[in-house]
């Protein structure tokens, strides 16, 4: 089962072909990653709508305003599902010689890195401008005395050793 996949990957590396399939796969994965990092409701679009309505920005600007959680445009499960499916399609395309178009591969690699860095630069600027972070670093804890939010990862509970006699057999 796993051997045919290894042979195809080795074939791409040793035969030095199917660069278009690999390039298309990389561009598609970049597109999925950007959708994974982007919010479902774009704050820049909301800002332009709110400026027309003169309601002001919709994002909270201080701690007293309503908290809105980060909701991804592409959920994590869909991200991984589409990544696996697209990878399988790309591997399947290596079985056909019509996808083995002769190209100068260093140009494709250079173009991909330029696209990657420019796209990520734009995405990071967007994240900084609208103050959203698509990743969490742990559960938020609240201090009673200062009413200040401190993001500290929650420590896992110490379970201790597991007694095999207490496990239930299925």
């Amino acid at each position: 089962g796993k051997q045919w996949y290894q042979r195809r990957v080795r074939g791409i590396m040793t035969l030095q072909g199917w660069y278009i399939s690999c390039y298309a796969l990389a561009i598609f994965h970049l597109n999925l990653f950007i959708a994974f990092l982007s919010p479902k409701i774009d704050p820049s679009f909301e800002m332009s709508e709110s400026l027309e309505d003169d309601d002001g920005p919709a994002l909270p600007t201080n701690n007293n305003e309503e908290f809105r959680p980060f909701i991804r445009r592409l959920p994590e499960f869909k991200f991984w599902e589409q990544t696996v499916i697209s990878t399988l399609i790309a591997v399947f395309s290596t079985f056909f010689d019509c996808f083995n178009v002769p190209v100068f591969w260093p140009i494709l690699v250079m173009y991909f890195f330029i696209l990657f860095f420019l796209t990520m630069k734009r995405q990071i600027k967007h994240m900084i401008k609208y103050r959203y972070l698509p990743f969490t670093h742990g559960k938020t804890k609240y201090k009673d005395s200062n009413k200040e939010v401190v993001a500290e990862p929650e420590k896992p509970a110490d379970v201790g050793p597991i007694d095999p006699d207490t496990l239930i057999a299925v």
Side-chain angles (χ1 to χ4, degrees):
K2 191 177 176 182
Q3 294 173 350
W4 68 269
Y5 178 75
Q6 290 174 344
R7 269 187 272 143
R8 293 314 301 172
V9 171
R10 249 180 295 169
I12 291 171
M13 295 161 107
T14 58
L15 296 176
Q16 297 183 356
W18 290 278
Y19 297 121
I20 295 295
S21 296
C22 293
Y23 178 71
L25 178 66
I27 294 295
F28 186 71
H29 284 182
L30 178 62
N31 186 27
L32 289 176
F33 186 61
I34 294 299
F36 178 72
L37 291 179
S38 300
K40 187 173 186 176
I41 300 168
D42 191 8
S44 61
F45 182 68
E46 278 190 1
M47 286 284 282
S48 65
E49 279 185 354
S50 65
L51 289 176
E52 292 172 4
D53 298 336
D54 291 333
D55 292 333
L59 290 177
T61 56
N62 57 35
N63 289 337
N64 297 336
E65 293 186 26
E66 178 185 358
F67 170 73
R68 293 183 7 185
F70 182 79
I71 301 171
R72 300 180 189 282
R73 186 166 39 139
L74 181 67
E76 187 175 1
F77 178 78
K78 289 289 185 185
F79 171 75
W80 288 112
E81 179 185 44
Q82 290 180 4
T83 301
V84 169
I85 290 170
S86 63
T87 304
L88 291 175
I89 290 171
V91 169
F92 183 72
S93 73
T94 62
F95 289 109
F96 303 101
D97 284 332
C98 63
F99 294 112
N100 190 8
V101 179
V103 294
F104 186 60
W105 66 267
I107 296 294
L108 291 179
V109 171
M110 184 181 69
Y111 185 59
F112 174 76
F113 281 120
I114 289 171
L115 267 175
F116 177 80
F117 289 120
L118 290 177
T119 307
M120 289 308 294
K121 179 181 174 185
R122 188 187 71 201
Q123 186 68 28
I124 290 170
K125 281 184 177 181
H126 192 266
M127 290 171 162
I128 292 170
K129 181 178 180 182
Y130 294 104
R131 291 178 284 157
Y132 67 90
L133 186 64
F135 305 109
T136 56
H137 299 289
K139 186 176 179 181
T140 303
K141 293 184 178 182
Y142 297 93
K143 289 185 179 178
D144 289 333
S145 61
N146 297 339
K147 306 273 190 227
E148 181 179 319
V149 178
V150 178
E152 295 177 0
E154 187 176 346
K155 294 181 175 128
D158 186 19
V159 181
I162 298 174
D163 184 15
D165 296 329
T166 60
L167 295 176
I168 299 173
V170 178

